[in-house]
Amino acid sequence: MENKRVPEIRFDGFSGEWEQIRLEKLAEFSKGKGYTKNDLIDQGHPIILYGRLYTKYETVIDSIDTFATKKENSVLSVGGEVIVPSSGESSEDIARASVVADSGIILAGDLNIIKPKEDLDSLFLALTISNGKRKKELMKRAQGKSIVHIHNSDLKEAKILFPTKIEQEKIGNFFKELDVIIAIQEQELDTLKQTKQGFLQKMFPKEGESVPEIRFPGFSGDWQQHLVENFSEETLGGGTPKTSIEEYWNGDIPWIQSSDLQEHQVSNVVEKKKITENGLNNSATKLVPKNSIAIVTRVGFGKVALMNFNYTTSQDFLSLVNLKVNGWFGVYSLYNRLQKELNNVQGTSIKGITKKELLKMKILIPTNNEEQSKIGNFFKQLDNTIALHEQELETLKQTKNAFLQKMFV
């Protein structure tokens, strides 16, 4: 737009240019004091450490889950402060701001504290600092290499564009309501994922048992123990055509690698690379028919997927071909078994598993194919619901980002 001080999208009833002024004229500045992660305890006085703005960033902090023993001369919030981390690993880390909603919260060291004066709304300021041109300006001011810093003196020099207080509050409240909707969607998504984990534990037999805790009506009897090698009539490995030979690549045969599979998802694989017939014929990789189960055996161990197209793989895979079990049941039972394997060695890095070790793994399965089908379809539908919620959440976040670009100057 010709007028650079007017946002692209604006609420009805507001007009005129936004005013530009250095932040030091609109706010008072101070610093947090003391405290590190070593001071945290299970219960005590609520505290905000600067790291929270990286690990759990929120525009408005209104719920505190970290505590410390209050020391003398601690800096306590009065409510409405805008806090900006004064150090971080990158300029992106520290060019962000949050509003502290409540009073009496300990504000620890490495926090720049901004208290806006009457003409500037706290929420509007936090949004301004964390997005768009103001964010880029602060990133340029960040100093340092391995650890970057930003000081109150840098914040004071930042030029802020702002409308009337009423318009600021309207903008701030709009994004606050949008954040509430996003938070609800995130909570629903977390609940769905927890529900799935709960059903995985209860709809497959526990260690030492032969029947699951929860079962569809009409089915009874013990599940039978099988080796993974009994899941299919054939297994195929993979390989990588020489990357230096161009004629092996950019063909029409999908070639998947571990990064193409998403953790905790057993379908919807999207390959990033394709190979040619020459690449297939001049490497160890094999063409695997669709409806096979691809299992990552090396880097990314624990990932598994039921493939809905013909594919080839890197050497990090073993594929189960011509399945003897229901496909969806097979892939979820394998996923459940591999996750248990990972949990048993939590804290230890699993670099992979041999083909022999994988094929000799023992898994209990129901002898009735209909029961296998019901279990597999149940988890597939649950995953479809999770994927839908993830898509809705991503759409909400993209919508928020679009509004942030168009509602600020």
Side-chain angles (χ1 to χ4, degrees):
M1 297 179 68
E2 289 183 12
N3 192 335
K4 295 182 179 179
R5 293 188 181 179
V6 176
E8 189 174 339
I9 294 177
R10 207 164 187 180
F11 288 107
D12 291 339
F14 297 102
S15 60
E17 290 189 9
W18 286 19
E19 188 175 350
Q20 179 173 279
I21 196 168
R22 286 202 308 274
L23 185 53
E24 67 177 338
K25 296 184 179 294
L26 298 169
E28 297 173 349
F29 299 80
S30 58
K31 288 275 292 182
K33 191 174 182 180
Y35 299 95
T36 67
K37 287 191 291 186
N38 294 331
D39 293 309
L40 297 182
I41 55 178
D42 292 336
Q43 293 183 328
H45 202 98
I47 181 173
I48 298 174
L49 298 172
Y50 76 97
R52 170 165 179 152
L53 276 74
Y54 318 139
T55 59
K56 190 181 177 181
Y57 175 72
E58 298 167 295
T59 306
V60 179
I61 301 175
D62 53 13
S63 178
I64 311 294
D65 57 4
T66 46
F67 306 93
T69 300
K70 183 181 170 185
K71 303 175 185 176
E72 288 187 22
N73 301 319
S74 295
V75 177
L76 302 179
S77 67
V78 296
E81 293 96 335
V82 174
I83 55 175
V84 178
S86 59
S87 63
E89 293 183 359
S90 70
S91 57
E92 178 81 20
D93 282 345
I94 60 180
R96 63 184 66 191
S98 295
V99 178
V100 182
D102 298 323
S103 62
I105 309 299
I106 298 173
L107 303 179
D110 263 0
L111 283 174
N112 297 307
I113 304 170
I114 308 171
K115 185 62 179 174
K117 295 180 181 177
E118 188 175 346
D119 291 337
L120 190 60
D121 178 70
S122 296
L123 184 50
F124 177 86
L125 175 59
L127 288 165
T128 297
I129 289 174
S130 304
N131 300 281
K133 293 179 181 178
R134 305 292 83 75
K135 180 181 180 72
K136 292 177 181 176
E137 181 183 345
L138 289 179
M139 287 172 65
K140 289 179 182 177
R141 293 179 181 274
Q143 303 169 10
K145 293 183 179 179
S146 58
I147 298 294
V148 294
H149 302 276
I150 195 163
H151 306 288
N152 275 328
S153 57
D154 301 308
L155 294 168
K156 288 177 182 179
E157 292 298 314
K159 293 179 180 178
I160 299 296
L161 281 157
F162 63 100
T164 63
K165 185 73 172 293
I166 294 174
E167 188 173 1
Q168 290 177 47
E169 290 172 347
K170 202 167 184 69
I171 293 169
N173 288 332
F174 170 79
F175 283 102
K176 188 175 182 180
E177 290 174 7
L178 195 52
D179 278 345
V180 168
I181 296 171
I182 290 172
I184 290 171
Q185 188 73 17
E186 287 174 332
Q187 187 175 2
E188 289 178 353
L189 181 58
D190 286 342
T191 300
L192 276 170
K193 288 180 177 179
Q194 291 170 9
T195 299
K196 176 185 172 181
Q197 290 306 310
F199 278 122
L200 282 168
Q201 292 176 22
K202 294 178 182 294
M203 292 182 71
F204 289 92
K206 290 184 172 63
E207 191 84 26
E209 298 181 6
S210 59
V211 293
E213 186 176 338
I214 294 177
R215 206 164 186 179
F216 287 104
F219 298 104
S220 60
D222 291 349
W223 287 24
Q224 300 299 312
Q225 186 170 267
H226 288 266
L227 302 179
V228 171
E229 66 183 4
N230 299 136
F231 274 40
S232 67
E233 294 179 359
E234 186 182 2
T235 62
L236 292 174
T240 304
K242 284 188 177 180
T243 55
S244 58
I245 302 179
E246 290 185 12
E247 66 185 53
Y248 291 173
W249 296 91
N250 300 316
D252 56 8
I253 303 173
W255 181 84
I256 64 170
Q257 50 195 331
S258 174
S259 59
D260 293 334
L261 275 66
Q262 298 184 52
E263 289 187 352
H264 310 303
Q265 292 193 18
V266 299
S267 60
N268 303 321
V269 175
V270 178
E271 81 283 352
K272 299 184 186 71
K273 297 180 180 180
K274 292 185 178 182
I275 62 173
T276 63
E277 285 284 349
N278 276 340
L280 173 62
N281 295 331
N282 289 279
S283 70
T285 196
K286 301 291 189 295
L287 184 62
V288 186
K290 66 180 181 180
N291 298 321
S292 298
I293 296 176
I295 308 169
V296 178
T297 59
R298 294 172 66 178
V299 179
F301 175 73
K303 294 180 179 180
V304 58
L306 181 63
M307 304 296 293
N308 64 350
F309 54 84
N310 298 339
Y311 64 100
T312 58
T313 77
S314 74
Q315 59 273 22
D316 291 342
F317 285 83
L318 181 70
S319 292
L320 306 183
V321 184
N322 297 324
L323 298 174
K324 297 178 182 178
V325 296
N326 174 271
W328 289 117
F329 173 83
V331 75
Y332 281 110
S333 62
L334 278 164
Y335 166 79
N336 194 44
R337 179 67 176 82
L338 295 176
Q339 290 304 305
K340 287 179 180 177
E341 193 73 16
L342 285 170
N343 291 334
N344 288 339
V345 291
Q346 197 167 19
T348 303
S349 176
I350 294 185
K351 295 181 179 179
I353 188 171
T354 66
K355 175 181 176 180
K356 183 178 179 181
E357 288 172 334
L358 175 61
L359 294 177
K360 295 301 180 184
M361 274 188 177
K362 298 174 181 178
I363 297 180
L364 288 166
I365 67 173
T367 54
N368 189 311
N369 288 335
E370 186 182 350
E371 186 173 9
Q372 292 182 28
S373 178
K374 279 185 173 291
I375 294 170
N377 288 334
F378 172 81
F379 282 104
K380 178 55 181 167
Q381 290 173 10
L382 192 51
D383 266 348
N384 286 342
T385 304
I386 289 172
L388 180 62
H389 274 69
E390 287 176 332
Q391 186 178 351
E392 290 173 349
L393 178 59
E394 183 59 28
T395 300
L396 280 170
K397 289 180 176 179
Q398 290 175 358
T399 300
K400 177 185 175 182
N401 287 333
F403 278 122
L404 284 167
Q405 292 176 22
K406 295 178 183 294
M407 293 180 69
F408 285 85
V409 180

